[in-house]
């Protein structure tokens, strides 16, 4: 295929634009060189785009997973996933096409009259996908200094290592895994190890019975410890750690559940740090509060800035999900001529220009942009940061949308 010959060099590089907020990154159009393939290539590949659009019309990539947009159910089909990746790769090339960039320039001039338009996604590095799975990755992208990163970590750990957040994130990893296990079995794609399913169910029940209590009961009404705290029968986070280890062993050969396997490994980092902390509800209210405070204390002390476990807790705290942030077009950061205002832009590629899919794409982008803006503001950067989302779709009607006070643009791909 022509694509593999001409586009391989920049599709397979894992690059992203490093930004230095201390200097102005405003560039004139002359300073950019838009990468182009021969015009005949675009003409030849456009029918392929249309064909793939029809084939994938009910599907989308959400947080790295192939899903059916009608019910948001996971779709386990290697062939369709390959076709989706092919579609996204071709669109990335079209976004860098000089004609597409010229059209984008006109759109931005209309949206921001009186301002010199900035080229967006003109470089191959700005059109690369990016998986965001740690605070370090976010700070590297924004080029936040080491001193400011300490402030980010301290501020975030105080919030996300609370026992309620920790227990919720642990439970969510299991619920998400169970959901996909059920889908695989119902659709006959593959039979997940029965032992693994039993471990998931057992672990969920264990967490429910060990950490739940009557929320309406006041503290003085709750029973005093019914047994010695150091009793070997007391339930600890170590019990959950052992179940996680068993699950990891069961899922080693389950390719469709690779994400869940990786997330179980991530959460093991935190579990190993608090394995001696009690989670037995029968120890009494005050002792329970003390043990929960130990969870926060130990996690705050041991989870570092680059920890995927800490980042997972942040995602659960912000969005109630443990899935890493997947950005299809990583974009970059520009600043105005005065250097006191920056704009972070990122993008997503859509299959169809339908309202449901467009708003789904907007919400996915909003999660990514909101996370980066949170880290920027938490770091204490003096310059303001505006965020902007761009959605690309074959034959789409060009327009702009506003979501939670931020601008999102829909761009059409065509000849």
């Amino acid at each position: 295929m022509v694509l593999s010959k001409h586009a391989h060099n920049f599709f397979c590089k894992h690059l992203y634009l490093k930004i230095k907020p201390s200097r102005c990154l405003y560039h004139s159009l002359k300073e950019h060189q838009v990468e182009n393939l021969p015009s005949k290539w675009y003409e030849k590949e456009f029918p392929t785009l249309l064909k793939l659009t029809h084939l994938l019309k009910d599907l989308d990539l959400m947080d790295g997973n192939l899903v059916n947009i009608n019910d948001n159910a996971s779709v386990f089909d290697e062939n369709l996933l390959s076709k989706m990746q092919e579609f996204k790769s071709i669109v990335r090339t079209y976004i860098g096409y000089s004609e597409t960039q010229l059209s984008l320039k006109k759109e931005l001039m209309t949206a921001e009259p009186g301002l010199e338009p900035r080229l967006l996604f003109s470089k191959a590095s700005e059109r690369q996908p990016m998986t965001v799975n740690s605070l370090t990755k976010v700070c590297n992208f924004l080029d936040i200094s080491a001193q400011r990163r300490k402030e980010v970590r301290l501020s975030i750990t105080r919030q996300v290592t609370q026992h309620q957040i920790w227990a919720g994130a642990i439970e969510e990893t299991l619920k998400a895994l169970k959901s996909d296990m059920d889908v695989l079995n119902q659709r006959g794609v593959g039979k997940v190890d029965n032992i693994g399913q039993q471990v998931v169910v057992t672990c969920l029940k264990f967490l429910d019975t060990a950490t739940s209590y009557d929320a309406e009961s006041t503290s003085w009404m709750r029973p005093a410890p019914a047994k010695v705290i150091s009793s070997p029968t007391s339930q600890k986070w170590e019990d959950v750690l052992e179940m996680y280890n068993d699950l990891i062993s069961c899922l080693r050969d389950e390719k469709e559940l690779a994400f869940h396997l990786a997330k179980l490994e991530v959460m093991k980092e935190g579990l190993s740090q608090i394995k001696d902390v009690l989670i037995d509800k029968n120890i009494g209210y005050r002792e329970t509060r003390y043990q929960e405070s130990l969870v926060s204390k130990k996690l705050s002390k041991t989870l570092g800035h680059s920890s995927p476990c800490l980042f997972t807790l942040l995602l659960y705290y912000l969005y109630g999900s443990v899935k890493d942030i997947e950005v299809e077009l990583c974009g970059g950061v520009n600043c105005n001529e005065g250097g006191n205002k920056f704009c972070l832009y990122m993008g997503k590629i859509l299959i169809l220009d339908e309202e449901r899919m467009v708003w789904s794409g907007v919400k996915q982008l909003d999660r990514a942009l909101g996370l980066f803006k949170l880290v920027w503001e938490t770091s204490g950067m003096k310059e303001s940061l505006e965020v902007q989302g761009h959605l690309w779709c074959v034959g789409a009607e060009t327009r702009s949308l506003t979501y939670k006070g931020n601008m999102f643009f829909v761009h059409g791909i065509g000849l």
Side-chain angles (χ1 to χ4, degrees):
M1 182 178 176
V2 179
L3 174 63
S4 62
K5 293 180 180 179
H6 294 281
H8 175 79
N9 288 337
F10 55 87
F11 283 156
C12 298
K13 291 179 182 176
H14 297 285
L15 301 174
Y16 56 83
L17 186 61
K18 289 189 175 181
I19 304 303
K20 291 193 177 297
S22 60
R23 68 180 68 172
C24 183
L25 297 175
Y26 181 88
H27 297 288
S28 67
L29 298 180
K30 293 181 180 179
E31 290 176 303
H32 282 78
Q33 290 185 350
V34 178
E35 296 144 347
N36 269 305
L37 298 173
S39 58
K40 290 183 178 180
W41 184 92
Y42 297 95
E43 296 174 4
K44 182 178 179 180
E45 289 300 318
F46 196 71
T48 301
L49 276 183
L50 297 177
K51 180 179 179 180
L52 290 172
T53 297
H54 179 74
L55 176 66
L56 304 167
K57 64 178 182 178
D58 292 325
L59 304 174
D60 191 18
L61 277 179
M62 294 185 181
D63 302 315
N65 299 319
L66 193 64
V67 299
N68 187 311
I69 63 172
N70 296 314
D71 55 11
N72 286 335
S74 298
V75 176
F76 298 97
D77 189 310
E78 288 297 321
N79 181 58
L80 288 177
L81 179 60
S82 177
K83 293 296 184 184
M84 179 66 77
Q85 292 168 342
E86 178 185 359
F87 174 82
K88 305 269 184 180
S89 294
I90 297 175
V91 172
R92 286 189 177 93
T93 312
Y94 272 83
I95 294 174
Y97 185 32
S98 59
E99 294 299 321
T100 306
Q101 286 291 313
L102 180 60
S103 176
L104 176 59
K105 174 186 174 182
K106 293 178 180 179
E107 293 172 26
L108 294 177
M109 289 178 66
T110 302
E112 301 175 326
L115 296 178
E116 179 69 19
R118 299 156 293 185
L119 279 182
L120 308 181
F121 307 104
S122 61
K123 295 181 179 180
S125 60
E126 298 179 8
R127 300 193 298 273
Q128 295 302 306
M130 177 173 64
T131 300
V132 187
N133 53 15
S134 72
L135 285 173
T136 296
K137 214 161 191 179
V138 178
C139 290
N140 285 346
F141 192 90
L142 299 173
D143 203 16
I144 293 175
S145 68
Q147 183 60 40
R148 292 185 183 276
R149 294 183 191 208
K150 292 181 181 179
E151 296 297 323
V152 172
R153 181 189 175 279
L154 289 174
S155 177
I156 287 177
T157 52
R158 282 195 291 265
Q159 299 295 323
V160 306
T161 58
Q162 297 176 36
H163 179 269
Q164 183 179 1
I165 302 301
W166 166 256
I170 284 290
E171 187 176 20
E172 181 61 23
T173 62
L174 296 168
K175 287 183 176 179
L177 171 58
K178 184 178 184 301
S179 177
D180 279 353
M181 280 181 165
D182 292 342
V183 170
L184 283 171
N185 287 329
Q186 290 171 5
R187 298 187 179 183
V189 177
K191 282 291 180 182
V192 180
D193 191 304
N194 188 51
I195 297 178
Q197 291 179 293
Q198 292 178 12
V199 173
V200 171
V201 173
T202 301
C203 194
L204 284 170
K205 288 181 178 179
F206 176 87
L207 287 172
D208 181 60
T209 58
T211 60
S212 62
Y213 57 85
D214 185 1
E216 296 182 358
S217 175
T218 56
S219 60
W220 60 270
M221 294 173 60
R222 293 173 192 157
K227 53 191 173 183
V228 180
I229 299 303
S230 59
S231 170
T233 61
S234 296
Q235 296 169 323
K236 299 180 179 180
W237 282 107
E238 185 176 15
D239 299 315
V240 180
L241 176 60
E242 290 178 0
M243 284 186 262
Y244 263 55
N245 285 329
D246 291 338
L247 267 178
I248 289 170
S249 298
C250 292
L251 298 180
R252 287 292 184 196
D253 299 324
E254 298 291 344
K255 183 171 60 174
E256 294 87 354
L257 300 174
F259 162 78
H260 299 286
L261 175 62
K263 191 57 68 173
L264 291 173
E265 294 277 14
V266 163
M267 299 309 287
K268 270 186 60 177
E269 178 190 2
L271 285 168
S272 64
Q273 300 299 325
I274 62 169
K275 62 182 180 180
D276 294 328
V277 178
L278 298 173
I279 55 173
D280 191 339
K281 68 176 182 179
N282 293 318
I283 62 179
Y285 178 75
R286 289 186 177 180
E287 182 62 28
T288 297
R289 296 284 79 78
Y290 172 69
Q291 295 296 323
E292 290 178 354
S293 69
L294 287 180
V295 169
S296 179
K297 182 178 180 180
K298 287 175 176 288
L299 293 177
S300 297
K301 181 179 180 180
T302 58
L303 298 183
H305 194 274
S306 61
S307 167
C309 183
L310 176 62
F311 187 76
T312 300
L313 293 178
L314 175 60
L315 292 179
Y316 182 77
Y317 175 76
L318 293 175
Y319 307 117
S321 172
V322 296
K323 293 182 178 179
D324 295 331
I325 298 290
E326 301 283 347
V327 182
E328 294 182 355
L329 301 163
C330 68
V333 179
N334 280 327
C335 74
N336 61 5
E337 291 180 327
N340 59 354
K341 184 176 182 180
F342 290 78
C343 177
L344 167 67
Y345 56 95
M346 292 180 167
K348 178 172 175 59
I349 300 168
L350 303 178
I351 297 294
L352 296 175
D353 184 18
E354 293 183 351
E355 184 175 2
R356 178 170 48 185
M357 183 167 280
V358 169
W359 282 110
S360 173
V362 166
K363 291 175 182 178
Q364 288 179 65
L365 271 180
D366 181 71
R367 287 180 61 203
L369 293 167
L371 172 68
F372 277 73
K373 187 169 184 177
L374 171 69
V375 172
W376 177 281
E377 294 176 344
T378 304
S379 70
M381 299 292 288
K382 295 180 180 179
E383 300 86 354
S384 63
L385 181 70
E386 171 191 343
V387 296
Q388 199 175 87
H390 296 262
L391 301 102
W392 303 84
C393 182
V394 176
E397 175 188 352
T398 299
R399 60 194 185 278
S400 61
L401 309 166
T402 302
Y403 183 71
K404 294 184 179 180
N406 298 320
M407 290 296 298
F408 294 83
F409 297 88
V410 179
H411 310 289
I413 293 291
L415 292 176

